[in-house]
């Protein structure tokens, strides 16, 4: 009898599951939509998307083509894996498309963050951000701070086993914090860092506000960070001192053409920290990994940086001319970003029913511009799974036949590792300066070997779940 009841329960549950799946498919079966599947109500196919990542995308493309519907991260979504269509979407934001980032990201990063706003507001906020990281500001104010921080951060690594993932995460956040808050960053760095790591995890989660969820922890972390930054702003106003850092610039409304409210200032700071943190830390970690695995590339990079050091005294910092001379370093950074695919794509949202690729996309749907696969296109990148920084050098391998002798891959239309259109990463050059300075001091001071056995995940974030451990010694 008990077995019979158990069988009935199992059959009943299966019927309910089947009915829910069927109901969700019918719910989104509108005329003109591209083919695809929608998964479960509310959750959609988020679990498969996050767990299977690129394999999920490839399987769906094999079944439905390079333009299909799904339901991920709480939203009905159209996935585009077509390079030409992706470029069109990125270059035509004003024509019925606005940023479409998940609700969890919008809630946690703030409604004034540059990724959330569009139109004239986006132009204004982007202008305010670019004023903080212009080439002149990088040269005169930010690069000296970056240099000073990297020298200190990379001290005393000799004869230690280092979790390079942990160290590059700390490096990316604390270096940015120093640029933002100057000397005061030291007093808030540890509590800020603990909250910031929770915030990052919460941005890529389902917006379910229940105890124990990454979303709840991330949202609470935002509140704590806002409180810390508000206190810092209030203390500065009370002291009336002048500060030559990003926060000081944002607060000097009388000298700044971009006049922001405190809420906008705080969201701008969180945006700077968040956008730079993931790309700088992960690219730095993966560059260390790839250079270890490719001694010829490491030898070439070290040669470039030792030449820089030879024309300097030991205490002399890296300057703008040094950065310009780091041609192979830049190639290593681009190749690392391409091969590791730090950014898999971007999201847009339709503001009206619109036609794309012969289909009608309903108002309010997300479009996931999936750019990962273009990084492995063998026509653009021969032997795409090989780490080859020389492909980014003018006159490097395979460059002449692909794009002509006067251009490098960095100039090509299909390069989307830093975004595209009006949303191209405004902090691209600052991030490259940080990674270049880190690599300079790391490879001129140390040699390293991997301990081994550390697993790497490539989706939805590039990370080593148990860390990436290396044994470091003086060079």
């Amino acid at each position: 009898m008990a077995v019979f009841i158990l069988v009935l329960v199992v059959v009943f549950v299966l019927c309910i599951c089947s009915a829910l799946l069927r109901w969700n498919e019918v719910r989104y079966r509108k005329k003109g939509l591209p083919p695809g599947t929608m998964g479960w109500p509310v959750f959609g196919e988020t679990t498969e998307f996050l767990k299977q990542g690129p394999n999920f995308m490839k399987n769906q493309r094999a079944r439905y083509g390079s333009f299909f519907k799904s339901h991920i991260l709480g939203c009905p979504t159209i996935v585009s894996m077509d390079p030409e269509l992706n470029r069109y979407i990125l270059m035509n934001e004003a024509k019925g498309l606005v940023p479409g980032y998940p609700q969890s990201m919008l809630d946690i990063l703030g409604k004034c963050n540059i990724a959330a706003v569009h139109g004239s507001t986006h132009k204004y906020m982007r202008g305010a951000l670019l004023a903080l990281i212009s080439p002149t500001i990088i040269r005169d104010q930010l690069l000296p701070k970056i240099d000073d921080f990297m020298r200190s951060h990379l001290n005393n690594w000799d004869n230690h086993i280092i979790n390079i993932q942990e160290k590059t995460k700390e490096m990316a956040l604390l270096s940015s914090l120093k640029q933002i808050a100057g000397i005061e960053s030291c007093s808030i760095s540890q509590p800020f860092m603990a909250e910031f790591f929770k915030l990052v995890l919460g941005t890529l989660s389902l917006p379910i506000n229940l105890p124990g969820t990454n979303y709840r922890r991330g949202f609470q972390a935002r509140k704590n960070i806002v409180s810390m930054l508000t206190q810092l702003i209030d203390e500065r106003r009370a002291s009336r001192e002048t500060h030559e850092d990003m926060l000081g610039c944002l607060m000097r409304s009388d000298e700044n053409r971009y006049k922001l409210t405190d809420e906008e200032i705080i969201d701008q700071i969180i945006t700077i920290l968040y956008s730079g943190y993931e790309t700088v830390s992960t690219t730095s970690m993966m560059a260390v990994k790839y250079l270890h695995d490719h001694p010829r590339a490491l030898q070439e990079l070290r040669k470039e940086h030792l030449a820089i050091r030879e024309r300097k005294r030991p205490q002399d910092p890296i300057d703008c001319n040094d950065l310009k001379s780091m041609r192979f370093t830049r190639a290593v950074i681009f190749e690392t970003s391409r091969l590791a695919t730090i950014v898999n794509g971007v999201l847009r949202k339709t503001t009206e029913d619109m036609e794309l690729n012969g289909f009608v996309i309903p108002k309010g749907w997300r479009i996931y511009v999936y750019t990962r696969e273009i990084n492995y296109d063998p026509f653009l990148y021969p032997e795409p799974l090989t780490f080859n920084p020389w492909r980014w050098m003018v006159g490097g391998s395979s460059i002449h036949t692909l794009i002509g002798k006067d251009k490098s891959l960095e100039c090509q239309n299909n390069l989307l590792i830093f975004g595209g259109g009006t949303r191209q990463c405004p902090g691209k050059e600052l991030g490259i300066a940080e990674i270049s300075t880190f690599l300079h001091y790391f490879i001129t001071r140390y040699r390293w070997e991997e301990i081994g056995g550390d697993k790497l995940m490539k989706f939805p974030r590039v990370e080593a779940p148990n860390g990436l451990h290396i044994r470091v010694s003086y060079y």
Side-chain angles (χ1 to χ4, degrees):
M1 186 65 180
V3 174
F4 178 71
I5 293 173
L6 180 61
V7 170
L8 280 178
V9 169
V10 170
V11 170
F12 178 74
V13 170
L14 289 174
C15 288
I16 292 294
C17 290
S18 178
L20 285 172
L21 285 169
R22 178 68 178 166
W23 173 78
N24 209 40
E25 293 297 335
V26 171
R27 180 185 172 201
Y28 290 108
R29 187 177 293 168
K30 297 181 180 180
K31 187 177 180 180
L33 277 172
T37 51
M38 303 302 286
W40 299 96
V42 182
F43 298 101
E45 297 179 307
T46 300
T47 301
E48 295 90 332
F49 169 69
L50 293 177
K51 283 189 175 181
Q52 300 174 26
N55 288 333
F56 170 78
M57 293 297 193
K58 289 175 184 176
N59 291 339
Q60 296 299 86
R61 182 173 62 181
R63 293 174 66 186
Y64 305 114
S66 60
F67 197 72
F68 56 88
K69 67 182 179 184
S70 183
H71 194 292
I72 51 179
L73 296 175
C75 310
T77 302
I78 301 297
V79 178
S80 173
M81 300 176 70
D82 182 289
E84 291 305 315
L85 186 59
N86 286 348
R87 175 152 289 278
Y88 171 83
I89 293 168
L90 292 175
M91 299 300 290
N92 289 276
E93 180 177 305
K95 299 177 181 178
L97 293 166
V98 296
Y101 294 96
Q103 193 61 44
S104 54
M105 189 175 287
L106 299 179
D107 291 343
I108 291 171
L109 296 184
K111 65 181 182 181
C112 300
N113 93 80
I114 195 172
V117 296
H118 53 90
S120 59
T121 306
H122 172 258
K123 187 176 180 180
Y124 192 83
M125 295 298 286
R126 185 179 176 87
L129 178 56
L130 288 172
L132 300 175
I133 53 176
S134 68
T136 303
I137 296 290
I138 292 175
R139 182 192 66 208
D140 296 340
Q141 296 183 29
L142 301 182
L143 189 54
K145 291 176 182 176
I146 292 169
D147 184 273
D148 181 66
F149 173 82
M150 294 300 175
R151 285 171 180 261
S152 173
H153 186 70
L154 284 157
N155 256 344
N156 304 318
W157 286 18
D158 177 46
N159 201 30
H160 282 77
I161 292 176
I162 299 293
N163 179 354
I164 194 65
Q165 177 173 255
E166 182 180 277
K167 288 293 185 182
T168 53
K169 282 184 176 182
E170 291 176 1
M171 174 267 288
L173 176 59
L174 297 180
S175 175
S176 294
L177 203 56
K178 183 171 184 177
Q179 295 164 49
I180 289 166
I183 194 168
E184 291 155 309
S185 64
C186 298
S187 61
I188 66 170
S189 61
Q190 291 308 311
F192 195 100
M193 188 159 52
E195 296 301 326
F196 185 79
F197 291 159
K198 295 176 196 172
L199 178 148
V200 171
L201 285 175
T203 57
L204 266 186
S205 62
L206 282 171
I208 299 173
N209 194 13
L210 293 175
T213 62
N214 281 339
Y215 175 80
R216 168 70 75 88
R217 284 192 287 263
F219 195 68
Q220 185 58 51
R222 172 187 165 78
K223 289 181 178 178
N224 295 337
I225 286 172
V226 168
S227 177
M228 282 186 256
L229 293 175
T230 300
Q231 183 179 346
L232 182 56
I233 290 170
D234 290 343
E235 288 173 355
R236 286 197 172 189
R237 283 210 177 99
S239 72
R240 297 177 179 271
E241 292 180 22
T242 301
H243 296 267
E244 295 299 326
D245 50 37
M246 289 185 183
L247 180 57
C249 181
L250 288 169
M251 290 177 64
R252 286 196 295 274
S253 57
D254 53 332
E255 302 174 20
N256 195 339
R257 61 176 289 201
Y258 300 99
K259 295 172 173 53
L260 305 182
T261 66
D262 284 2
E263 182 184 13
E264 289 171 334
I265 289 173
I266 288 170
D267 281 357
Q268 192 81 296
I269 289 171
I270 292 174
T271 298
I272 294 167
L273 291 168
Y274 180 83
S275 56
Y277 163 78
E278 190 102 20
T279 49
V280 170
S281 65
T282 309
T283 305
S284 299
M285 175 186 77
M286 292 306 296
V288 169
K289 164 70 177 169
Y290 290 144
L291 290 168
H292 171 270
D293 294 345
H294 298 84
R296 181 169 163 252
L298 175 58
Q299 181 182 9
E300 184 72 16
L301 187 68
R302 188 171 269 145
K303 177 183 173 183
E304 180 172 87
H305 285 272
L306 288 175
I308 292 171
R309 283 259 62 95
E310 283 174 5
R311 57 180 184 256
K312 288 179 172 291
R313 295 172 298 176
Q315 69 271 26
D316 287 345
I318 292 294
D319 60 34
C320 204
N321 289 328
D322 298 323
L323 281 182
K324 290 177 182 177
S325 72
M326 295 180 187
R327 295 178 63 248
F328 192 72
T329 307
R330 192 176 182 91
V332 166
I333 292 169
F334 272 75
E335 181 69 351
T336 299
S337 299
R338 179 198 70 81
L339 187 57
T341 306
I342 311 301
V343 178
N344 291 283
V346 296
L347 282 158
R348 295 290 182 261
K349 184 173 73 172
T350 54
T351 58
E352 57 192 42
D353 290 359
M354 66 180 302
E355 186 175 335
L356 270 178
N357 210 36
F359 298 100
V360 178
I361 315 303
K363 176 183 176 181
W365 278 49
R366 263 60 170 188
I367 299 175
Y368 185 31
V369 180
Y370 187 69
T371 57
R372 182 186 182 90
E373 295 305 312
I374 201 169
N375 291 341
Y376 309 108
D377 185 332
F379 177 75
L380 293 171
Y381 309 105
E383 299 182 20
L385 299 181
T386 300
F387 180 74
N388 176 17
W390 287 272
R391 73 171 90 239
W392 298 92
M393 307 282 285
V394 174
S397 60
S398 305
I399 292 294
H400 292 267
T401 56
L402 278 176
I403 58 179
K405 63 181 180 180
D406 296 324
K407 293 183 180 180
S408 73
L409 281 174
E410 189 177 336
C411 304
Q412 299 312 294
N413 288 334
N414 290 309
L415 179 63
L416 298 173
I417 56 179
F418 295 102
T422 60
R423 297 271 167 178
Q424 187 168 47
C425 177
K428 169 187 166 185
E429 294 304 326
L430 177 59
I432 289 174
E434 289 188 283
I435 299 166
S436 299
T437 310
F438 165 77
L439 288 173
H440 174 80
Y441 287 111
F442 184 61
I443 67 171
T444 56
R445 287 184 184 182
Y446 301 114
R447 66 177 75 247
W448 70 98
E449 57 180 320
E450 288 186 13
I451 301 300
D454 290 326
K455 179 183 176 183
L456 275 172
M457 290 175 58
K458 294 290 187 76
F459 196 91
R461 288 187 166 99
V462 179
E463 63 178 342
N466 300 313
L468 187 63
H469 296 85
I470 57 174
R471 182 179 286 108
V472 180
S473 57
Y474 278 131
Y475 173 66

